[in-house]
Amino acid sequence: MSESVSCPDHVDVLVIGAGPGGYVAAIRASQLGRSVAVVDENEPGGVCLHSGCIPSKALISAAKTYELFVNSKHNKMGIAAQSVSIDYAQVQQWKHGIIQKLKNGVEGLLSGNQVTYVKGRAQFKSGNEVRIDDGNRSKIVKFEHCIVAAGSRPVELQGFAFGNRIVSSKEILQLKEIPQSLAIIGAGYIGVELGQTFAKFGTKVTLLEYAPHILPTFESELASIVEKKMKKNGMQIITGASAKAAYEAEGGVTLTYTHSGEEKKMDADYLFVAVGRKPNTDPLSLEAADVQVDQKGFIDVDRQGRTSNPRIFAIGDVVKGPALAHKASYEGKVAAEAIAGHPSAVDYKAIPSVIFSDPEIATIGLSEKEAVEQDYKVKTGKFSYAANGRALSLHAGEGFVKVIAEANTGFIIGAQIVGIEAANLIAEIGLAIEMGSTLEDIAATIHAHPSLGEIVMEASEAGMGKGVHSL
Ligand code: NAI
């Protein structure tokens, strides 16, 4: 192999992975005066942009639009579509256009910030060297500091090897056709978001979940509202089910699972396995750089993202915590600033978690149960979408906002939202937690009328026992 991968021989900061963790870290490191290269075997943007957050949101939005037309004959607005059609190839093309636009944006930001983007696969050679291999050529690059932002990949269950008909979240987003039937293992973030999407497109969807209810890491009062909607969309949900094996056949797949002690069988066009993600740390030869990982492959880091090798930092899905793009970006900025000698450190008290389900779920900080378990004395305030004028005029009166506060001081410590635009509404609570705000701070803030934001204000007033629009 010739030594000619296009990267300087030596950089101040080498970032491995150009996803929302890595490219953000690279830009911040460059803003702070470091020479920076970011290496990725794929195009910049990572899983989030190419086969995760962005394409899934595009399909969710397309499915919602289709459902709106299909259901128009049942609505009371007086607007009904006479006929509706889907050109799925066009849906995919539209989705691809969004990805391309954002990818071009990331490339422009990297070059505009003088970050060298290197296409290739990185592997540690020593504590300050990485070998970059682009398939034809390779090169050893020396670094002062390195930020590992290599991300994660879907877990492949034993007995469910990914293939043509047994697919992961990457392939399901790229199908050329809308399946007639789809079996999904795992009713977590991905299974719920994409299960609802295909159900809206008209696919017969069956969801198998090991736990007693869908979205087991979320409180059942949130999950049950989404579950109700899923059933209304004709989805079959089998909880307490354990998938055993699957066999691909021409044009479909057969799945066996156990439920209530009985072994059962099911056929579907595709089987989509969405049972979590695992860190991409195994191919990096981290041992050559003295970087310690735990038994599950996550890299051990301190609050600045520093690993057991003080030159090397790690962020995003390769470290513990939720596998969320915004967490990775946040950690990336902290690591870049720490490398530049700033006193930055992570504080996870207000990471929003959002499921782009129908309706959306968004949580932040502590739930009431978690707060009580942590010996907080709490008070809560709840307000329903059904009593908000804007929600009703949007034809979206289901859901609620619940705000959790410390009882004596009123300091806001968490919130849970289920309902339309939950993903956007949670931002106000995130700011409130970051700013050390109280229920009164939100209640006394003038919110536009009529707007969904008023639901957050009303929930805060209710928490103070002063709700005007609730009894
Ligand atoms: P997940 O951890 O959210 O859900 C996996 C589900 O599979 C769990 O409910 C689990 O009980 C179930 N399960 C596991 N093994 C099973 C088996 N053998 N049989 C039946 N059920 C089984 O994982 P998911 O949905 O794959 O998502 C991975 C991660 O990606 C999420 O944790 C999240 O961090 C991230 N993500 C975030 C999104 C967002 O921010 N909106 C959207 C999609 C993914």
Side-chain angles (χ1 to χ4, degrees):
M1 283 191 182
S2 62
E3 299 281 304
S4 49
V5 164
S6 165
C7 182
D9 298 338
H10 181 277
V11 287
D12 292 338
V13 181
L14 180 70
V15 182
I16 300 176
Y23 85 73
V24 168
I27 290 172
R28 180 54 50 89
S30 177
Q31 287 170 338
L32 294 169
R34 299 308 190 261
S35 65
V36 186
V38 56
V39 54
D40 197 308
E41 56 190 315
N42 296 304
E43 293 183 301
V47 168
C48 173
L49 175 53
H50 296 280
S51 51
C53 328
I54 302 300
S56 65
K57 260 72 278 169
L59 289 190
I60 287 168
S61 168
K64 225 180 206 167
T65 306
Y66 179 66
E67 185 193 38
L68 195 67
F69 286 114
V70 169
N71 287 347
S72 64
K73 51 185 172 294
H74 304 302
N75 78 33
K76 293 178 183 155
M77 272 181 194
I79 300 166
Q82 294 307 317
S83 69
V84 195
S85 62
I86 312 180
D87 175 348
Y88 199 60
Q90 177 60 33
V91 171
Q92 285 287 356
Q93 210 178 320
W94 171 70
K95 184 199 84 179
H96 186 65
I98 298 168
I99 295 171
Q100 285 303 113
K101 257 185 219 150
L102 291 169
K103 189 206 80 169
N104 293 344
V106 174
E107 283 174 344
L109 289 171
L110 289 174
S111 65
N113 280 286
Q114 290 78 48
V115 174
T116 307
Y117 170 68
V118 187
K119 193 157 184 186
R121 183 174 263 257
Q123 221 175 2
F124 284 97
K125 185 93 180 47
S126 72
N128 68 341
E129 292 168 308
V130 153
R131 176 188 290 277
I132 301 176
D133 189 335
D134 71 5
N136 297 312
R137 300 157 301 178
S138 77
K139 171 168 186 161
I140 307 279
V141 177
K142 273 193 172 7
F143 58 80
E144 289 305 310
H145 289 98
C146 178
I147 300 176
V148 181
S152 62
R153 61 183 184 274
V155 167
E156 195 173 55
L157 277 181
Q158 220 183 350
F160 299 86
F162 293 132
N164 289 334
R165 296 277 161 178
I166 304 175
V167 297
S168 76
S169 50
K170 182 176 178 192
E171 295 80 30
I172 194 85
L173 291 166
Q174 291 164 357
L175 291 184
K176 292 196 165 37
E177 58 186 1
I178 296 172
Q180 299 254 321
S181 57
L182 175 67
I184 305 178
I185 305 178
Y189 277 74
I190 299 181
V192 166
E193 285 187 5
L194 294 180
Q196 280 192 303
T197 300
F198 282 99
K200 286 173 197 281
F201 279 139
T203 303
K204 181 176 175 296
V205 178
T206 306
L207 205 47
L208 295 182
E209 167 58 49
Y210 194 70
H213 71 81
I214 65 157
L215 300 171
T217 55
F218 289 81
E219 306 234 313
S220 59
E221 67 174 339
L222 300 164
S224 62
I225 292 183
V226 174
E227 187 169 341
K228 206 169 114 198
K229 190 71 181 264
M230 290 165 103
K231 289 183 173 155
K232 206 170 152 195
N233 277 137
M235 293 172 69
Q236 192 188 1
I237 299 165
I238 309 174
T239 52
S242 178
K244 291 288 162 210
Y247 309 94
E248 288 200 6
E250 189 58 36
V253 57
T254 300
L255 161 75
T256 55
Y257 64 97
T258 52
H259 184 243
S260 307
E262 277 179 50
E263 184 144 333
K264 306 208 168 172
K265 219 173 179 186
M266 181 193 339
D267 293 325
D269 289 356
Y270 289 92
L271 171 63
F272 168 29
V273 182
V275 294
R277 302 184 63 84
K278 62 191 264 194
N280 288 330
T281 44
D282 37 335
L284 294 174
S285 300
L286 287 162
E287 61 292 344
D290 291 324
V291 172
Q292 277 167 19
V293 295
D294 72 10
Q295 282 183 332
K296 292 186 168 168
F298 292 104
I299 300 174
D300 296 324
V301 288
D302 66 13
R303 289 189 57 219
Q304 294 195 306
R306 193 177 289 100
T307 69
S308 48
N309 177 339
R311 282 175 183 273
I312 300 176
F313 289 67
I315 60 164
D317 294 6
V318 295
V319 305
K320 278 188 205 142
L324 299 171
H326 45 273
K327 169 183 167 278
S329 302
Y330 171 70
E331 290 171 344
K333 290 179 213 167
V334 168
E337 287 164 8
I339 287 168
H342 295 207
S344 307
V346 293
D347 177 352
Y348 294 127
K349 69 177 176 297
I351 307 177
S353 290
V354 175
I355 304 181
F356 291 85
S357 46
D358 180 11
E360 290 177 0
I361 290 179
T363 65
I364 196 160
L366 299 175
S367 68
E368 184 177 0
K369 186 164 165 270
E370 287 166 339
V372 170
E373 281 166 4
Q374 292 182 27
D375 291 332
Y376 278 95
K377 217 166 155 268
V378 296
K379 58 181 171 188
T380 64
K382 203 169 174 181
F383 195 79
S384 169
Y385 274 65
N388 175 269
R390 184 66 185 130
L392 293 185
S393 65
L394 287 167
H395 214 288
E398 61 193 342
F400 63 83
V401 172
K402 180 174 174 183
V403 183
I404 297 108
E406 210 266 316
N408 298 326
T409 58
F411 283 124
I412 295 169
I413 53 174
Q416 302 190 311
I417 307 179
V418 56
I420 193 170
E421 296 292 343
N424 290 321
L425 292 180
I426 204 75
E428 181 176 6
I429 312 275
L431 184 66
I433 296 174
E434 281 295 330
M435 302 283 291
S437 305
T438 61
L439 291 172
E440 190 175 4
D441 291 322
I442 294 187
T445 299
I446 303 171
H447 288 68
H449 177 74
S451 70
L452 297 173
E454 287 175 294
I455 310 176
V456 176
M457 179 186 75
E458 299 276 3
S460 304
E461 277 191 341
M464 296 166 67
K466 293 192 343 191
V468 169
H469 293 96
S470 53
L471 294 171

